[in-house]
Amino acid sequence: MSNLSSNTKLIVGLGNPGEQYKNQRHNVGFILLDKIASYFSTNFDNNKKKSLYSRFKYDGNDIILLKPQTFMNLSGESVLYVAKFYNVSIDNIIVVYDDMDIPFGSIKIKKSGSAAGHNGIKNIIAQIQSDNFIRLRVGISRPPAGKPINDYVLSSFSKSERNSIDNEIYSDVLDAIKTLIFDGIDIAQQKFNSKK
C-alpha cells in the first residue's frame, strides 16, 4: 500500500476547513501544522478522501502531516483513512489541538485517556477504536465568565495571542514534535509538561 516504513509518524493538526475559521481558537492545530509544514519546506499536496496531507523524510524518519478536511467533529475519518493507507501504528499518531483546561501559552503531552469533551479527539477515538495515541495539547485557557464554550472556541485570537502562537508557542510545539520523533514520549513529557 505504501513505500513508507512501519515506523512512520503521522502528525495531525485539528481544525475546521475554510477561510472563516482560519484564526479561531479551535483551529490552533491547523495554524501550527501550516507553520510546521513551512519549516520542513513541504506542502499539503495530497488531497484524498477529505484528507489534506504531506509526506516527507526528515533525518531518516518518514513523516506525514495531516489536516482533516471533514470539520472538527468528524476528524477521525481522515485520521483512520491515512493511518490505514500508510500502515501507521496507533502509537505513532501525534494529534495537535486546542485545550481549554491548559493556560494560554502552555503545551502538554499526553498518551491515551478520554477525549475530555473535545469532539475532534472523541471522533478520532471512535474511528480508530483506540485512545492510545499521543496528544499534543495547546492551551487556549477557559472562556471568560458568562461566555458559552462554543462561542469561545469559535472566536478569533487577539493580535497579541496570535503573535504568541506564531512565535513562542510554535517554537515549543516544533521542539516537542522533534523530541517525540527522536527521543520518545517519556523524555518529551519531562521536557514540556513541567514548562511554564
Side-chain angles (χ1 to χ4, degrees):
M1 233 195 294
S2 88
N3 57 2
L4 297 186
S5 75
S6 58
N7 202 33
T8 299
K9 301 287 191 291
L10 173 57
I11 302 165
V12 183
L14 296 188
N16 288 310
E19 278 299 309
Q20 68 268 44
Y21 302 106
K22 214 169 179 182
N23 192 46
Q24 292 178 352
R25 296 171 200 282
H26 222 18
N27 266 44
V28 77
F30 273 17
I31 292 167
L32 289 164
L33 220 66
D34 281 339
K35 291 186 70 64
I36 287 161
S38 181
Y39 172 84
F40 287 117
S41 302
T42 189
N43 298 306
F44 292 95
D45 48 10
N46 292 285
N47 189 356
K48 294 175 189 164
K49 295 190 186 251
K50 296 183 182 173
S51 303
L52 201 56
Y53 63 96
S54 168
R55 294 168 52 198
F56 59 98
K57 275 197 178 290
Y58 172 58
D59 258 11
N61 292 275
D62 290 311
I63 310 288
I64 301 171
L65 301 180
L66 167 65
K67 294 194 299 181
Q69 300 295 292
T70 50
F71 288 92
M72 182 69 81
N73 295 2
L74 298 173
S75 298
E77 293 178 12
S78 290
V79 176
L80 178 65
Y81 165 70
V82 173
K84 277 179 84 168
F85 192 83
Y86 293 108
N87 195 28
V88 180
S89 66
I90 286 167
D91 55 1
N92 279 331
I93 298 172
I94 300 166
V95 184
V96 182
Y97 65 100
D98 58 295
D99 194 315
M100 289 188 306
D101 294 323
I102 299 172
F104 182 84
S106 296
I107 66 170
K108 299 282 181 202
I109 296 164
K110 178 185 175 189
K111 186 165 188 184
S112 74
S114 77
H118 194 287
N119 288 331
I121 297 297
K122 197 182 291 181
N123 190 253
I124 292 171
I125 292 170
Q127 289 287 333
I128 68 174
Q129 299 188 330
S130 172
D131 67 356
N132 203 35
F133 54 90
I134 297 168
R135 298 99 188 275
L136 205 168
R137 302 178 295 154
V138 180
I140 61 167
S141 298
R142 292 203 73 81
K147 183 158 186 142
I149 283 172
N150 276 0
D151 291 352
Y152 177 69
V153 297
L154 295 176
S155 66
S156 292
F157 288 113
S158 69
K159 202 174 238 184
S160 66
E161 286 173 330
R162 183 58 198 255
N163 189 52
S164 289
I165 288 162
D166 288 341
N167 292 286
E168 305 89 1
I169 296 169
Y170 157 64
S171 177
D172 280 347
V173 168
L174 179 63
D175 193 10
I177 285 170
K178 288 180 178 178
T179 305
L180 285 164
I181 291 168
F182 293 110
D183 303 315
I185 188 164
D186 293 341
I187 290 172
Q189 283 179 315
Q190 287 166 24
K191 185 173 179 182
F192 293 96
N193 287 3
S194 59
K195 195 172 178 182
K196 299 293 180 201

